[in-house]
Every structure is written in structure tokens, then in C-alpha cells.
């Protein structure tokens, strides 16, 4: 989803600064964007490390003098582990990436955005942050927390011209599945009645999420603040 956002935003004329833990995909994407006439910069960042997140945000401001849109998109799953079985390491790792990372980036970006008169923060949450049965304990709690962060920032910084919104994707064809290493039997069994196949819902493409992000970042959405836009193909309607 982050790649699709970067490609779409660049096509629309944005100067994008891309952050990821893995540098090879970053470098390839920067090359692709530049070859298409766009402007892109890559910064290696582990979003669970506050110093690296600060450096990432600072690199964007150093390169372009301002920060108009922050997309907090990094996330990992939790093997669908339920509360009685989760260990401290898994809990802390999921919360570090899914909650602390967006908080670190938001905290660094807010003084920049308020000083320049405004900006937009877009958090990639999940339908798992709206309901209880789409993931394990850590992931579900982390995405609920991210939605709470979104709403608090939206309310607090509204007078300074900062909008903060979230997207709640459903099933999307991305690489996040690679973080599912040993699926928990109980978690998977409880998920089964809500599976996309059983409910007849198609997997979405990453560009569909990117287009939602583009709308939320644009002036067309200037009245949208603190909202959670569900993009799930109807998965949670029934």
C-alpha cells in the first residue's frame, strides 16, 4: 500500500520521501518514480526506533522545506495469537511498529505542520481496529489504538490547521502476509467464519487504498477530520 501511495502521489505531482526498513525495494521505487518524471527520496527507517523516525521526518523537511502530508503506513500482523497465549515479545513488537511508530512520526511532524499553517496526517489503520474478529490480540489492540491516536490528534490540532484521518483497509493484496509465520490455531479458527472467501468478498488492490489516501490528502477532503474511512469492499457491511 505504501508503494502504491508513493507512485500515485508522485504521478499527481507530490515530492515524495519514502521510508522503509528494507533499502532494496526503496531504491528500486525511487528509480521508477524518477524515470517517470517524478521526484522521490529514500530513507532507511525502522519505525519502532524513535531516533530513526525523527531523522526520516527531518530528511523530508531538509529536502523540501516543508511537510504537507505524512502517511503512517508501516504495519505487521501477529499470527492471530489470542490473549491467553501471547508473549511479551510479540505484544511489544506489534505495538512498537503499529502504534509507537505512527506516534513518533506524528509527534515530529506536528510542530512542522503547525508552524507552516497546516498539514494532513493519514494513518493506515484496519478494519481490525473497528471490530474484534479480524486478527489476534496485539494487532487488534494496536489498530484500535491507532484510531484513538487519529481522533485525538484531529481534535487537538484542528485550530492549527492540521487534519488527521485514518483508512481502515480490509483484505488487500500486499506483502504483510509474510509476517504471518506460525498462525495460531485458535485465532485462525475464530477468524474462519469471517474469512473473505466465506463472505464472498474480493481482495482489494493496493492502488484502491492509495486512491483513498490521495482523496484524504487533497483539498477535496478539507472537511474530513478525525474520520476513519473504511475501504474493505463491503467485508464489514453484513
Amino acid at each position: 500500500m505504501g508503494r502504491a501511495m508513493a507512485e500515485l502521489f508522485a504521478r499527481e505531482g507530490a515530492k515524495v520521501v519514502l521510508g522503509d526498513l528494507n533499502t532494496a525495494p526503496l531504491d528500486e521505487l525511487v528509480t521508477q518514480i524518477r524515470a517517470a518524471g517524478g521526484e522521490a527520496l529514500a530513507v532507511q527507517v525502522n519505525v519502532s526506533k524513535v531516533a530513526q523516525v525523527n531523522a526520516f521526518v527531518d530528511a523530508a523537511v531538509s529536502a523540501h522545506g516543508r511537510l504537507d502530508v505524512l502517511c503512517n503506513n508501516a504495519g505487521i500482523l501477529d499470527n492471530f495469537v489470542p490473549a491467553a497465549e501471547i508473549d511479551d515479545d510479540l505484544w511489544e513488537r506489534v505495538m512498537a511498529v503499529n502504534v509507537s511508530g505512527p506516534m513518533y512520526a506524528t509527534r515530529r511532524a506536528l510542530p512542522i505542520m503547525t508552524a507552516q499553517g497546516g498539514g494532513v496526517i493519514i494513518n493506515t489503520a484496519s478494519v481490525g481496529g473497528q471490530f474484534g474478529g479480524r486478527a489476534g490480540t496485539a494487532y487488534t489492540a494496536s489498530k484500535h489504538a491507532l484510531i484513538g491516536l487519529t481522533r485525538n490528534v484531529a481534535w487537538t490540532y484542528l485550530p492549527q490547521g492540521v487534519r488527521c484521518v485514518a483508512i481502515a483497509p480490509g483484505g488487500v493484496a500486499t506483502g504483510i502476509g509474510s509476517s504471518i509465520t506460525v498462525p495460531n490455531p485458535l485465532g485462525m479458527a475464530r477468524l474462519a467464519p469471517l474469512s473473505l472467501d466465506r463472505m464472498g468478498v474480493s481482495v482489494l488492490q493496493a492502488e484502491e487504498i492509495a486512491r483513498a489516501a490521495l482523496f484524504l490528502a487533497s483539498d477535496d477532503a478539507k472537511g474530513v477530520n478525525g474520520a476513519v474511512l473504511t475501504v474493505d469492499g463491503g467485508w464489514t457491511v453484513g
Side-chain angles (χ1 to χ4, degrees):
M1 290 186 290
R3 182 186 184 99
M5 289 178 194
E7 291 172 338
L8 181 58
F9 277 53
R11 288 201 302 269
E12 293 292 324
K15 300 174 181 178
V16 296
V17 180
L18 319 175
D20 200 337
L21 185 60
N22 301 315
T23 57
L26 274 185
D27 293 339
E28 187 243 337
L29 181 54
V30 166
T31 300
Q32 175 186 319
I33 289 173
R34 290 175 177 172
E39 188 167 343
L41 171 68
V43 178
Q44 184 179 29
V45 56
N46 180 340
V47 299
S48 69
K49 306 297 183 183
V50 62
Q52 294 188 34
V53 175
N54 289 345
F56 170 58
V57 175
D58 292 348
V61 178
S62 176
H64 303 298
R66 59 184 295 116
L67 179 64
D68 295 298
V69 181
L70 168 66
C71 293
N72 288 312
N73 182 72
I76 56 173
L77 286 170
D78 61 0
N79 279 324
F80 303 95
V81 178
E85 301 177 48
I86 191 169
D87 59 37
D88 292 348
D89 178 69
L90 178 59
W91 173 267
E92 291 167 4
R93 182 157 48 88
V94 172
M95 297 300 284
V97 173
N98 293 3
V99 184
S100 296
M103 187 280 289
Y104 296 152
T106 297
R107 182 173 64 188
R108 194 69 163 189
L110 280 168
I112 299 162
M113 290 182 171
T114 56
Q116 69 190 19
V120 182
I121 299 171
I122 302 172
N123 294 319
T124 301
S126 167
V127 294
Q130 299 172 304
F131 302 92
R134 265 70 181 184
T137 292
Y139 185 87
T140 301
S142 74
K143 294 302 185 177
H144 275 76
L146 185 57
I147 288 174
L149 175 67
T150 300
R151 289 171 171 161
N152 179 261
V153 170
W155 173 252
T156 304
Y157 294 93
L158 172 62
Q160 285 94 330
V162 176
R163 290 193 294 113
C164 188
V165 293
I167 300 172
V172 185
T174 72
I176 196 172
S178 64
S179 66
I180 304 174
T181 53
V182 185
N184 180 274
L186 175 58
M188 293 300 292
R190 295 300 296 142
L191 175 68
L194 300 173
S195 70
L196 294 174
D197 290 341
R198 183 167 294 188
M199 299 185 76
V201 180
S202 298
V203 174
L204 300 177
Q205 297 303 307
E207 187 170 345
E208 296 176 86
I209 309 303
R211 291 196 176 279
L214 182 66
F215 164 70
L216 291 171
S218 74
D219 287 341
D220 289 339
K222 65 181 180 180
V224 182
N225 190 28
V228 181
L229 178 60
T230 302
V231 187
D232 69 352
W235 189 20
T236 58
V237 170

